Amino acid sequence: VNARRGCYEWNIILGISQNGKFLSSGLIIERSERVLIHCDESMSKHDIRECQYPLEGDWQLTWSRDGNTNQQSSTLTVLRNSYQQSKWDFVIHFTTTSDDHASKDSARIYWPKSDTIQTATRGLDFAKQPKGPDVGQIIEWETTNSQFPKIAWKRLTRGKLPQGPHQATVLGAAQDQVLYQLLMHPGSSTQAAEPTESIQLLPAIPTYHGDSLWGNVFVKKFRIGQASYHFLSPTASYLSYEHIGCRNLPNLDDGTPLPTRLPFRNMEWDPSTLRLTATIEWEQDAGTSWNDNVRWKLDMSFDSQFMVIKRGGIQCEWCKERRAPIRPPRRPPPTRPKPVAIYVPPPPPEEGQPPPPEPNRNEEWLMSGYGYDQLYINAACLERYRPNAPAVEDARATFDHYAKTFLQHRRRLQAEDVTARSIEYLEKVFKAAAERPGTNPIDYNIT
């Protein structure tokens, strides 16, 4: 990709996931050097590099504000044809224009978060000084900002040339990498990895389905893709770890990255009791265990309007041998509710009695309980009421709308024996919508 203003060239290498929904690997190499239209073949590589980065080093800025005769000054350091000022990043775009008589060198700086353009009017002549102005020389700039019409740069030093390769953005799902996701529109579909199964993808923004479990997305921590449940259909539903926050989670026990999706297996749905059972098969679908877990057995019950997972638990099956690497203990988040005592181990054998024989299978523990330390709500619980919500400008009416709506839910959920923790968790969403109209506390993971 060539930038028309003559500053960069981006060399892009992309790796696309098998389902076509992610850019799962690749590089975006940012070529920030000045483009040399004519280059003397006798120049060394070091000389060429100096021509590509002609403004590297320290500069003294001088300017006056609003036509005031009192001048102000500060310093900046140019590195890789860019600099920082007041915590903002500024990039220098070099330009060369020519006509029938001569060519003219200049540079432009587009101020971030502003329409201001800063253009060099004097002091740049790469034909005479291909390595930029000497120490002590001045570049004069004009801006489109009436408060700062003119700025002068005086060169203080020549900086060291950038070392190493060009700056690059690494694509992928690991920490410090960027993951691009294809946003699907309603009705869009793609083929699954297995040719015999076609998965209908949900739209980027989840939708509410009150008459069925299928089509709904349930989240915890207000984030889609952070252990969220995506119930697409009885045969194609999955657990998602696609959020950027999951990059800090441990790898699988063989050292490979945590999968972004794991399908629900052995699903059984009872619409009469609104109860779902399923398993997450770590060894089958990830190829190994995770934190010594080989299987999760999920048992969850929903309220009548599919707003929360109200009851149930996650039964964890462990491998008998230790596989997970030893990791330093992590302090639990201060906002996480204290877990309740769900699993009670059997009492020890009486004195003088032999211990019971060890079962010839993996250990199983009920490690989490829905409605207690696992709080899940419908990701579209607010989108359900958006169409009938008052105008955003009418803050009072908006507040009353969501407050009254939640009060109705509270009464219904209490009657359906939903835990107080789940009700309080849902209340946070409606309270945020009431206090900040037009916003949504649910992170849809679409950026």
Side-chain angles (χ1 to χ4, degrees), residues 2 36 62-63 67 82 96 107 134 139 144 147 161 189 201 263 345 347 370 372 379-380 398 404 418 425-426 433:
N2 254 323
L36 304 181
T62 305
W63 73 93
S82 64
T96 300
D134 293 328
I139 302 176
T144 57
Q147 292 184 330
L161 294 176
S189 64
L201 292 177
Y370 295 113
Y372 295 98
T398 301
K404 292 178 180 178
V418 174
Y425 199 61
L426 185 65

mmCIF file of all heavy atoms in Angstrom, residues 2 36 62-63 67 82 96 107 134 139 144 147 161 189 201 263 345 347 370 372 379-380 398 404 418 425-426 433:
data_model
loop_
_atom_site.group_PDB
_atom_site.id
_atom_site.type_symbol
_atom_site.label_atom_id
_atom_site.label_comp_id
_atom_site.label_asym_id
_atom_site.label_seq_id
_atom_site.Cartn_x
_atom_site.Cartn_y
_atom_site.Cartn_z
ATOM 1 N N ASN A 2 0.773 2.099 -0.988
ATOM 2 C CA ASN A 2 1.568 3.315 -1.064
ATOM 3 C C ASN A 2 0.742 4.495 -0.605
ATOM 4 O O ASN A 2 -0.335 4.757 -1.135
ATOM 5 C CB ASN A 2 2.005 3.559 -2.509
ATOM 6 C CG ASN A 2 3.480 3.248 -2.689
ATOM 7 O OD1 ASN A 2 4.266 3.510 -1.802
ATOM 8 N ND2 ASN A 2 3.824 2.692 -3.842
ATOM 9 N N LEU A 36 13.243 7.967 -1.846
ATOM 10 C CA LEU A 36 14.263 8.621 -2.666
ATOM 11 C C LEU A 36 13.936 8.393 -4.133
ATOM 12 O O LEU A 36 14.005 7.269 -4.643
ATOM 13 C CB LEU A 36 15.656 8.073 -2.330
ATOM 14 C CG LEU A 36 16.080 8.175 -0.855
ATOM 15 C CD1 LEU A 36 17.492 7.622 -0.686
ATOM 16 C CD2 LEU A 36 15.988 9.601 -0.364
ATOM 17 N N THR A 62 10.260 27.010 18.210
ATOM 18 C CA THR A 62 9.933 28.370 18.619
ATOM 19 C C THR A 62 8.638 28.771 17.929
ATOM 20 O O THR A 62 8.491 28.562 16.719
ATOM 21 C CB THR A 62 11.049 29.361 18.240
ATOM 22 O OG1 THR A 62 12.293 28.901 18.783
ATOM 23 C CG2 THR A 62 10.748 30.745 18.789
ATOM 24 N N TRP A 63 7.718 29.356 18.694
ATOM 25 C CA TRP A 63 6.437 29.762 18.129
ATOM 26 C C TRP A 63 5.837 30.879 18.978
ATOM 27 O O TRP A 63 6.226 31.111 20.122
ATOM 28 C CB TRP A 63 5.474 28.574 18.054
ATOM 29 C CG TRP A 63 4.938 28.149 19.395
ATOM 30 C CD1 TRP A 63 3.786 28.553 20.002
ATOM 31 C CD2 TRP A 63 5.545 27.232 20.304
ATOM 32 N NE1 TRP A 63 3.637 27.960 21.221
ATOM 33 C CE2 TRP A 63 4.702 27.132 21.435
ATOM 34 C CE3 TRP A 63 6.736 26.496 20.276
ATOM 35 C CZ2 TRP A 63 5.013 26.326 22.521
ATOM 36 C CZ3 TRP A 63 7.033 25.694 21.357
ATOM 37 C CH2 TRP A 63 6.187 25.601 22.451
ATOM 38 N N GLY A 67 -0.720 35.505 17.520
ATOM 39 C CA GLY A 67 -0.095 36.748 17.112
ATOM 40 C C GLY A 67 0.665 37.457 18.201
ATOM 41 O O GLY A 67 1.148 38.587 18.007
ATOM 42 N N SER A 82 9.443 10.572 12.921
ATOM 43 C CA SER A 82 8.285 10.865 13.755
ATOM 44 C C SER A 82 8.777 11.351 15.113
ATOM 45 O O SER A 82 9.965 11.219 15.439
ATOM 46 C CB SER A 82 7.389 9.632 13.915
ATOM 47 O OG SER A 82 8.070 8.605 14.605
ATOM 48 N N THR A 96 7.711 16.036 -2.574
ATOM 49 C CA THR A 96 8.511 16.718 -3.591
ATOM 50 C C THR A 96 7.604 17.024 -4.761
ATOM 51 O O THR A 96 7.009 16.116 -5.357
ATOM 52 C CB THR A 96 9.698 15.861 -4.051
ATOM 53 O OG1 THR A 96 10.538 15.576 -2.928
ATOM 54 C CG2 THR A 96 10.500 16.588 -5.123
ATOM 55 N N ALA A 107 7.663 19.248 3.534
ATOM 56 C CA ALA A 107 7.224 18.209 4.462
ATOM 57 C C ALA A 107 5.920 18.668 5.094
ATOM 58 O O ALA A 107 5.685 19.880 5.255
ATOM 59 C CB ALA A 107 8.283 17.944 5.532
ATOM 60 N N ASP A 134 21.778 21.264 8.344
ATOM 61 C CA ASP A 134 22.895 21.079 9.271
ATOM 62 C C ASP A 134 22.514 21.597 10.653
ATOM 63 O O ASP A 134 21.518 22.309 10.825
ATOM 64 C CB ASP A 134 24.134 21.819 8.760
ATOM 65 C CG ASP A 134 24.687 21.206 7.485
ATOM 66 O OD1 ASP A 134 24.552 19.973 7.327
ATOM 67 O OD2 ASP A 134 25.233 21.965 6.662
ATOM 68 N N ILE A 139 14.242 25.312 9.987
ATOM 69 C CA ILE A 139 13.118 25.003 9.093
ATOM 70 C C ILE A 139 11.942 25.859 9.545
ATOM 71 O O ILE A 139 11.589 25.882 10.735
ATOM 72 C CB ILE A 139 12.728 23.518 9.139
ATOM 73 C CG1 ILE A 139 13.902 22.620 8.776
ATOM 74 C CG2 ILE A 139 11.550 23.244 8.210
ATOM 75 C CD1 ILE A 139 13.587 21.126 8.903
ATOM 76 N N THR A 144 -2.306 25.519 9.504
ATOM 77 C CA THR A 144 -3.683 25.957 9.242
ATOM 78 C C THR A 144 -4.411 26.311 10.531
ATOM 79 O O THR A 144 -5.616 26.570 10.508
ATOM 80 C CB THR A 144 -4.450 24.846 8.515
ATOM 81 O OG1 THR A 144 -4.407 23.642 9.304
ATOM 82 C CG2 THR A 144 -3.845 24.569 7.153
ATOM 83 N N GLN A 147 -4.218 29.807 15.831
ATOM 84 C CA GLN A 147 -3.548 30.077 17.104
ATOM 85 C C GLN A 147 -2.036 29.899 16.999
ATOM 86 O O GLN A 147 -1.278 30.531 17.735
ATOM 87 C CB GLN A 147 -4.101 29.162 18.199
ATOM 88 C CG GLN A 147 -5.541 29.446 18.574
ATOM 89 C CD GLN A 147 -6.001 28.574 19.730
ATOM 90 O OE1 GLN A 147 -5.527 27.447 19.899
ATOM 91 N NE2 GLN A 147 -6.924 29.081 20.516
ATOM 92 N N LEU A 161 21.059 7.047 13.466
ATOM 93 C CA LEU A 161 20.114 6.485 12.507
ATOM 94 C C LEU A 161 19.409 5.282 13.107
ATOM 95 O O LEU A 161 19.984 4.556 13.935
ATOM 96 C CB LEU A 161 20.841 6.083 11.229
ATOM 97 C CG LEU A 161 21.450 7.235 10.425
ATOM 98 C CD1 LEU A 161 22.227 6.696 9.247
ATOM 99 C CD2 LEU A 161 20.361 8.185 9.956
ATOM 100 N N SER A 189 -23.184 -16.427 6.199
ATOM 101 C CA SER A 189 -22.806 -17.756 6.660
ATOM 102 C C SER A 189 -21.450 -18.110 6.095
ATOM 103 O O SER A 189 -20.965 -17.509 5.152
ATOM 104 C CB SER A 189 -23.842 -18.799 6.223
ATOM 105 O OG SER A 189 -23.889 -18.895 4.816
ATOM 106 N N LEU A 201 -23.349 -18.028 11.144
ATOM 107 C CA LEU A 201 -22.693 -17.130 12.082
ATOM 108 C C LEU A 201 -23.663 -16.068 12.568
ATOM 109 O O LEU A 201 -24.504 -15.585 11.816
ATOM 110 C CB LEU A 201 -21.500 -16.458 11.413
ATOM 111 C CG LEU A 201 -20.332 -17.374 11.076
ATOM 112 C CD1 LEU A 201 -19.256 -16.568 10.361
ATOM 113 C CD2 LEU A 201 -19.766 -18.020 12.317
ATOM 114 N N PRO A 263 -15.987 -26.316 20.690
ATOM 115 C CA PRO A 263 -17.402 -26.647 20.502
ATOM 116 C C PRO A 263 -17.999 -27.321 21.732
ATOM 117 O O PRO A 263 -17.302 -27.998 22.493
ATOM 118 C CB PRO A 263 -17.377 -27.613 19.312
ATOM 119 C CG PRO A 263 -16.031 -28.257 19.393
ATOM 120 C CD PRO A 263 -15.091 -27.198 19.910
ATOM 121 N N PRO A 345 -16.152 -32.672 49.924
ATOM 122 C CA PRO A 345 -15.485 -33.980 49.785
ATOM 123 C C PRO A 345 -16.033 -34.973 50.794
ATOM 124 O O PRO A 345 -16.550 -34.587 51.853
ATOM 125 C CB PRO A 345 -14.016 -33.655 50.042
ATOM 126 C CG PRO A 345 -14.037 -32.403 50.850
ATOM 127 C CD PRO A 345 -15.237 -31.638 50.401
ATOM 128 N N PRO A 347 -16.271 -37.661 53.814
ATOM 129 C CA PRO A 347 -15.542 -37.658 55.093
ATOM 130 C C PRO A 347 -14.422 -38.695 55.071
ATOM 131 O O PRO A 347 -14.479 -39.698 54.360
ATOM 132 C CB PRO A 347 -16.628 -38.030 56.106
ATOM 133 C CG PRO A 347 -17.646 -38.785 55.311
ATOM 134 C CD PRO A 347 -17.651 -38.161 53.954
ATOM 135 N N TYR A 370 -23.093 -21.815 38.545
ATOM 136 C CA TYR A 370 -23.781 -20.711 37.882
ATOM 137 C C TYR A 370 -24.684 -20.004 38.891
ATOM 138 O O TYR A 370 -25.382 -20.629 39.685
ATOM 139 C CB TYR A 370 -24.610 -21.230 36.712
ATOM 140 C CG TYR A 370 -23.771 -21.823 35.602
ATOM 141 C CD1 TYR A 370 -23.815 -23.181 35.317
ATOM 142 C CD2 TYR A 370 -22.921 -21.029 34.847
ATOM 143 C CE1 TYR A 370 -23.046 -23.739 34.306
ATOM 144 C CE2 TYR A 370 -22.141 -21.570 33.834
ATOM 145 C CZ TYR A 370 -22.211 -22.929 33.570
ATOM 146 O OH TYR A 370 -21.435 -23.466 32.572
ATOM 147 N N TYR A 372 -23.425 -18.101 41.152
ATOM 148 C CA TYR A 372 -22.586 -17.816 42.319
ATOM 149 C C TYR A 372 -21.264 -17.201 41.863
ATOM 150 O O TYR A 372 -21.131 -15.992 41.790
ATOM 151 C CB TYR A 372 -22.380 -19.091 43.146
ATOM 152 C CG TYR A 372 -23.662 -19.598 43.750
ATOM 153 C CD1 TYR A 372 -24.388 -20.618 43.151
ATOM 154 C CD2 TYR A 372 -24.154 -19.027 44.925
ATOM 155 C CE1 TYR A 372 -25.575 -21.072 43.707
ATOM 156 C CE2 TYR A 372 -25.343 -19.477 45.487
ATOM 157 C CZ TYR A 372 -26.049 -20.491 44.872
ATOM 158 O OH TYR A 372 -27.224 -20.930 45.418
ATOM 159 N N ALA A 379 -26.017 -11.400 26.326
ATOM 160 C CA ALA A 379 -25.261 -10.267 25.801
ATOM 161 C C ALA A 379 -26.162 -9.233 25.138
ATOM 162 O O ALA A 379 -25.767 -8.073 24.989
ATOM 163 C CB ALA A 379 -24.209 -10.753 24.806
ATOM 164 N N ALA A 380 -27.357 -9.625 24.733
ATOM 165 C CA ALA A 380 -28.294 -8.707 24.068
ATOM 166 C C ALA A 380 -29.420 -8.277 25.001
ATOM 167 O O ALA A 380 -30.476 -7.865 24.537
ATOM 168 C CB ALA A 380 -28.875 -9.363 22.818
ATOM 169 N N THR A 398 -35.062 8.274 29.538
ATOM 170 C CA THR A 398 -34.230 7.091 29.352
ATOM 171 C C THR A 398 -33.964 6.403 30.679
ATOM 172 O O THR A 398 -34.038 5.170 30.787
ATOM 173 C CB THR A 398 -32.902 7.478 28.686
ATOM 174 O OG1 THR A 398 -33.170 8.102 27.431
ATOM 175 C CG2 THR A 398 -32.033 6.257 28.460
ATOM 176 N N LYS A 404 -37.501 1.126 35.197
ATOM 177 C CA LYS A 404 -38.773 0.398 35.298
ATOM 178 C C LYS A 404 -38.659 -0.988 34.665
ATOM 179 O O LYS A 404 -39.220 -1.967 35.178
ATOM 180 C CB LYS A 404 -39.882 1.201 34.631
ATOM 181 C CG LYS A 404 -40.242 2.486 35.369
ATOM 182 C CD LYS A 404 -41.318 3.265 34.628
ATOM 183 C CE LYS A 404 -41.670 4.554 35.373
ATOM 184 N NZ LYS A 404 -42.687 5.350 34.634
ATOM 185 N N VAL A 418 -33.973 -17.146 40.920
ATOM 186 C CA VAL A 418 -32.656 -16.766 40.420
ATOM 187 C C VAL A 418 -31.856 -16.203 41.588
ATOM 188 O O VAL A 418 -32.395 -15.494 42.452
ATOM 189 C CB VAL A 418 -32.777 -15.733 39.289
ATOM 190 C CG1 VAL A 418 -31.404 -15.224 38.850
ATOM 191 C CG2 VAL A 418 -33.517 -16.341 38.107
ATOM 192 N N TYR A 425 -25.959 -8.681 39.112
ATOM 193 C CA TYR A 425 -25.097 -8.586 37.936
ATOM 194 C C TYR A 425 -25.872 -8.004 36.755
ATOM 195 O O TYR A 425 -25.365 -7.141 36.023
ATOM 196 C CB TYR A 425 -24.562 -9.976 37.593
ATOM 197 C CG TYR A 425 -23.344 -9.984 36.714
ATOM 198 C CD1 TYR A 425 -22.155 -9.393 37.122
ATOM 199 C CD2 TYR A 425 -23.359 -10.612 35.476
ATOM 200 C CE1 TYR A 425 -21.032 -9.410 36.328
ATOM 201 C CE2 TYR A 425 -22.234 -10.640 34.670
ATOM 202 C CZ TYR A 425 -21.075 -10.034 35.105
ATOM 203 O OH TYR A 425 -19.962 -10.052 34.301
ATOM 204 N N LEU A 426 -27.105 -8.463 36.566
ATOM 205 C CA LEU A 426 -27.941 -7.924 35.493
ATOM 206 C C LEU A 426 -28.297 -6.463 35.767
ATOM 207 O O LEU A 426 -28.383 -5.648 34.839
ATOM 208 C CB LEU A 426 -29.208 -8.774 35.362
ATOM 209 C CG LEU A 426 -30.144 -8.437 34.204
ATOM 210 C CD1 LEU A 426 -29.463 -8.712 32.868
ATOM 211 C CD2 LEU A 426 -31.435 -9.232 34.309
ATOM 212 N N ALA A 433 -26.945 1.625 31.484
ATOM 213 C CA ALA A 433 -27.715 2.155 30.358
ATOM 214 C C ALA A 433 -28.586 3.327 30.791
ATOM 215 O O ALA A 433 -28.801 4.270 30.024
ATOM 216 C CB ALA A 433 -28.582 1.052 29.759
#
